[in-house]
Amino acid sequence: MREGLLSGAVDDADIALPGMDLPGVTWRLGERAVHLDPSNRSVRLAGGDQVSAEAVVLAVGARPRRLPVEAPGGDRMPALRTADDTARLRRRLTPDAPVLVVGAGLIGTETSGVLRRAGHPVVLVDSAATPMAPLVGPTVAEWILRRHRAAGVDVRTGTTVQSLDRRSDTSLSVTLSDAAQLTAAVVLPALGVSPDTDWLADSGVLGDAPTGAVAVDGQQRVLGRPGLYAAGDAAAVPGPDGRPVRVEHWGAALAQGRAAARAVLADLGTGGPEGPLPAVELPSYSTYVHDTKLTILGWPQSATQDVALLGTPGDDRFAIALHDRHERLVGAVGVGGARAVNRIKDLLQRRASVDELAALRAATR
Ligand SMILES: Cc1cc2nc3c(=O)[nH]c(=O)nc-3n(C[C@H](O)[C@H](O)[C@H](O)COP(=O)(O)OP(=O)(O)OC[C@H]3O[C@@H](n4cnc5c(N)ncnc54)[C@H](O)[C@@H]3O)c2cc1C
């Protein structure tokens, strides 16, 4: 979709949500919540209106982190979040314009692929030596770097942007922390996101969770705050070791939204499911590294080591499993195919041991 928006093949009408006209739903579009009083579940909107409810679901998402350097004028450093951001970027991208992408995480990686396919020279800068390693493990992270280079991306690791200056009406001069000098028509910060929760700072719902997130239990209830729920990028759910973690993917946001709705219905006693509510499923998402699909399951952030599941990183298709320091499986990554990782979903869900994985592989060989 982002590729379509960037190329102009897709416009706002194509991505409008269908079914907004739901019975019983009142939309207050263009209005920001600015204050929450958890004691009576009351939210104040920027226009001054106060909205109270039996249940409040906090699903405010996240906003892009900013590049900590002074922005040059000329709108040549657009954010990468909304359709408007993409439209702004498209206006700046003349054919062959060189682009500097700062941050080689999921968004920087996908964006570099889209830009290379459109013929733009791309420099991809990241302060880490092996970007993406926390998300996919070191083996796949190394493969991603090789894949970028094979696709013509100029990858610079272990460095970052130190300063930006306007060079001309159409270009910027960039100085990196390793003293390298670059010229770019556009600089795209892809530095991840932070929960959009500043307005909740004095509400007491931002506890010990990762910065700015709202910690919830396995059914999306805000810890210690009856009647409050949180889901999506703004929420921190219990990770495999019970500690709160954020999962920044559409699939997780959808699953958590459904779980929050089930918990609301159960707590209000208005037709919720009978019996204990199921915990939110194993996180699962896919992304593209140039033309190769990656499928990522579980909680690779909690891993200390990876083991081969299928093939080797030189193959078109390979997969790895990731385990924690107790040799319990916490994640898996499939490159070029998802069958091998989907086959061990159950082991991941149960946090089975590496030995159990080895036994399964021996039995199915
Ligand atoms: C460039 C980019 C590419 C991505 N690509 C992928 C991908 O390929 N696959 C994938 O799985 N995930 C991807 N993601 C992540 C995915 O978009 C998020 O995980 C998902 O959108 C989170 O959903 P959410 O509902 O929690 O938050 P959002 O989708 O951010 O929605 C939050 C909403 O709350 C509104 N809001 C915020 N604050 C307030 C307030 N105070 N009052 C009222 N309203 C408020 C916002 O305007 C927004 O409409 C991508 C993200 C980005 C930025």
Side-chain angles (χ1 to χ4, degrees):
M1 182 174 77
R2 194 160 47 255
E3 185 161 2
L5 283 169
L6 207 48
S7 67
V10 168
D11 65 20
D12 283 3
D14 297 318
I15 60 168
L17 273 183
M20 299 254 302
D21 194 14
L22 294 170
V25 174
T26 305
W27 293 91
R28 307 278 304 245
L29 296 177
E31 295 193 65
R32 256 189 106 71
V34 292
H35 186 261
L36 167 72
D37 182 346
S39 66
N40 58 3
R41 296 171 304 280
S42 165
V43 172
R44 190 169 73 243
L45 304 183
D49 279 3
Q50 202 79 26
V51 182
S52 297
E54 289 298 314
V56 174
V57 181
L58 302 166
V60 288
R63 57 167 188 272
R65 288 196 195 105
R66 301 171 72 88
L67 192 57
V69 297
E70 203 173 317
D75 200 17
R76 297 206 160 262
M77 198 165 74
L80 268 180
R81 181 79 189 170
T82 64
D84 284 349
D85 293 337
T86 310
R88 205 168 304 127
L89 171 60
R90 199 172 66 229
R91 284 196 294 276
R92 292 289 171 220
L93 281 180
T94 49
D96 303 331
V99 180
L100 171 63
V101 179
V102 189
L106 288 170
I107 292 172
T109 290
E110 274 211 11
T111 305
S112 298
V114 173
L115 292 168
R116 280 303 298 141
R117 273 196 294 285
H120 294 277
V122 175
V123 180
L124 178 60
V125 165
D126 198 293
S127 52
T130 318
M132 296 276 282
L135 287 179
V136 294
T139 305
V140 177
E142 293 283 358
W143 174 87
I144 291 172
L145 286 180
R146 289 197 296 277
R147 190 68 197 81
H148 275 314
R149 289 184 170 124
V153 177
D154 177 357
V155 185
R156 315 274 182 107
T157 55
T159 186
T160 188
V161 172
Q162 195 162 59
S163 64
L164 293 172
D165 294 294
R166 192 177 170 138
R167 187 167 180 263
S168 70
D169 280 353
T170 55
S171 68
L172 301 170
S173 296
V174 186
T175 305
L176 301 185
S177 55
D178 60 7
Q181 300 281 332
L182 307 169
T183 301
V186 173
V187 172
L188 288 179
L191 301 166
V193 294
S194 306
D196 207 347
T197 52
D198 289 356
W199 65 285
L200 294 169
D202 65 354
S203 68
V205 302
L206 306 177
D208 299 333
T211 323
V214 183
V216 295
D217 68 12
Q219 279 87 35
Q220 310 302 135
R221 296 184 182 93
V222 178
L223 301 178
R225 301 285 176 172
L228 297 186
Y229 308 79
D233 280 4
V237 297
D241 56 5
R243 276 184 291 188
V245 289
R246 293 176 49 231
V247 190
E248 298 165 11
H249 311 297
W250 289 316
L254 293 174
Q256 292 177 17
R258 278 193 293 269
R262 279 198 302 267
V264 169
L265 292 173
D267 294 350
L268 294 179
T270 52
E274 301 280 320
L277 298 175
V280 169
E281 313 135 24
L282 194 71
S284 154
Y285 65 97
S286 54
T287 185
Y288 279 88
V289 177
H290 300 279
D291 49 3
T292 304
K293 187 172 180 177
L294 257 60
T295 304
I296 300 152
L297 297 187
W299 315 91
Q301 313 91 304
S302 306
T304 51
Q305 213 174 319
D306 55 31
V307 291
L309 197 56
L310 171 81
T312 66
D315 301 341
D316 288 347
R317 182 177 271 245
F318 71 98
I320 52 128
L322 298 122
H323 63 80
D324 66 10
R325 65 197 163 88
H326 305 295
E327 303 216 324
R328 297 269 155 202
L329 295 173
V330 289
V333 183
V335 177
R339 203 176 306 154
V341 293
N342 283 336
R343 209 178 285 146
I344 65 160
K345 250 184 182 170
D346 172 56
L347 298 189
L348 291 170
Q349 198 86 54
R350 293 192 283 112
R351 300 196 59 215
S353 68
V354 175
D355 289 346
E356 200 176 333
L357 174 66
L360 176 80
R361 292 191 66 204
T364 53
R365 216 168 259 152

